[in-house]
Amino acid sequence: MVSTTAAETGPAGLRRYAWRYVSGVGGLAVLVGPFLPWGATQALYGAVGIASIAVAIFGIRLHRPALARPWWLLVSAVLMATAANVYWTVEFAVTGQRIPFGSVGDLIYLSAYPLLIASLWTMAGKRTRRSGMLDAAIVTSGVAVLMWTLVIDGFLDGSPLSAARLAVAMAFPIFDLAVVTVAGRLLFTGSTPPMAHLLAAAMSGLLTVADLVHFAHVVGSVTGQVAHNPVSSAGWLLGLVVAGTAAMHPSIARPTDAGPLRLRLSAGVQPTVQIVLALLGPAVTAASLLDELIAGQAELADILVPLTATAAMSTLLVIRQQQFARAATARALAFAAQAEELAAALAEQRALQDRLSHQTLHDPLTGLANRLLLQERLGHALARRTGGAHGLLLLDLDGFKDVNETLGHPVGDELLIAVAARLGTLLSEGDTLARLGGDEFVIMLEETTPERTVAVATAVLESIRQPFEVDGAELSLTTSIGLHTVRAPATVADSLRDADLALYAAKGAGKNQVAVYTDRLLSERQDYAQTVAGLRRALRDNEFVLHYQPLVDLATGTVRGVEALLRWTPPGGRPVPPDAFIPIAEQSGLIGAIGDWVLRQACTEALPWFERHGTTVSVNVAGPQLRDPGFPATVRRVLHDTGLPAHALTIEITETDLVASTTAEADEVVARLVEIRGWGVRVAIDDFGTGYSSLSYLRQLPVDILKIDRAFIPPDRGDAGARADDLTLTRAIVDLGASLRLTTVAEGVETAAQADVLRDLQCSLVQGFHFYRPMPAADLAAMLTEPVAVAA
């Protein structure tokens, strides 16, 4: 059973592998055809020819070769041959008898030969060298001996055919010899032919052999009718199949590419072929003379023609051998010159190897060991299995990126050199200091104690905190360190991974400190990787859904809008809380793709709600999305594709996302929001009050809505003083929104008392479990027509 991969069945696979399927299917016809009755075989010729034409046309259209003329000529040749086969089939069906030789079908079939010859000639182009033409002539001379002895001589020697039919009969072997010549020219180009050319030449060889066997059979039977034998039938059928296969092969689009077969008939193969062809003529001549001698019917032509062909072929062989000799002499001289150049190159190479050996194992900037040398030394230390512990300290320079961005990379390089020199003073003989790249360094302490490892880490922290003098400037840095104590049978890869996890923990805890590896770090990282894989699968398999929480008008009880909330339930698992997977989506870079899906899905589902009830939709946008220069184009494309009006969409951002951006990034984000808001899309600040935005900064933002975080909604129970403070803060935010002409929305309203307080504060829109919990789109559509009851 043959297995097919996605690569073989897709569009790219069709271009690459379709010719194999064609050859496989065509092979079935070759196996069956030779054993069918004459009429059925003729019908099969026509069917296979039509299929070959269709396949060839499809292949030309599929691969679109720059030089398509040879392949269209090949299609035309197969078309004429097929037309002749169809004629013979129809004639047989009408008369019930085999068609006499020299019929109209033969003339139609003969017209295919010039087209085939033109196809092979143009296919070879101008690549054939003079030696290639000689090789083709040698092959043709050998085939001519067989043609004369087995076919042509038989036709001329007492054939019962009329003069017209004899001329038709003679045309076939002559055309076959011409086909052999141009096929040889196609093969012997001096380079490896592409597979499509090999198949075209193979087709020519098959048809020639089939003709030779067929006409030898005709001469032997002398019946005056077209003979039928399995060898010829198989050859013709296989030739038609190979013609279609050649046009389907992808190499027709790359005729200059070398094929998979090394068909360079040179020093190894050519002499053997030449010897066989040189002996072919004398052998056939001897056999013919012996036969005629026994029968007492020897004639002058029977002797002269084979001998003349043999003499011509031998002459060509001598010329070719002289060319080989001259080429060998030139090649020997070239080899001698190359040997001298090679000796000089070897001396230079030895010096270069010494330099490369050092460069391969050392960092070119600092001269420290690189990752490869570190892995080698750590591997040797672990392989000794002495039972001792080895300390690994993985360092990352905090703030080094700022040095590169503000002072330039040359200063950054000088700083790295200074750091490497200072770290070297803290180590003992036998310790390894390596630079992994960028601003990452590794210290390996072989056969040490945990106490010394911690002491070295502490010394590194204190040393890096001291200012560096670089290019006349005083620069300050800190470093984060991941510490891991390694023992056999740990592997090099696992050891470096664990140290990296510890470094990641140190940076996540605030930098400028040491974090020690524990198994918990690996477990957390594995959970992180598992969640990332799940998110990728969820995007691929459409596992995400949106729930919607309505925004209620306190005055009327109607739903003015809805907020889209992302939900994820892995197959066979429990729902994953958004605060568990959304931060991981942001860290892994998947938030952009997930956010695009949320935006498109929300706009798609909200369109009928807006058209029927005027209900708008709010979509939360993460910081990485806002910092993406293509975000406005994404919003515009989604609005265009879904048909949702711009004023029916609200983009929700958080203060934290704006504050976390650099000044340049914040300015770019504001510019993007201004562009989006200019289309009619509204912008809301979500969880207002939890960030650090000032009033002056808020006035500059392109904002339409303030959403008060649930932390500022006064509780209906608890300490009266605390409630009064919360009420004051809430009133201040509502008044701030009113003064800036912004709509204010209160989130997290869970009781009627909270709703009453917000109504008194003239906060018109609220959102919370007291009114509606988030619900699927289908449930939301059913309740939009019914206003919620609110207290007056």
Side-chain angles (χ1 to χ4, degrees), residues 189-211:
T189 60
S191 59
T192 304
M195 189 63 182
H197 290 186
L198 291 175
L199 291 171
M203 171 208 66
S204 304
L206 287 167
L207 295 180
T208 301
V209 171
D211 284 353

Side-chain angles (χ1 to χ4, degrees), residues 613-656:
H613 312 292
T615 305
T616 62
V617 65
S618 300
V619 176
N620 292 282
V621 177
Q625 291 178 269
L626 292 173
R627 290 188 285 274
D628 180 8
F631 180 66
T634 299
V635 175
R636 180 183 288 275
R637 182 170 58 253
V638 169
L639 291 174
H640 176 270
D641 294 345
T642 61
L644 185 71
H647 59 274
L649 174 64
T650 300
I651 296 295
E652 293 194 13
I653 63 176
T654 66
E655 293 179 88
T656 305

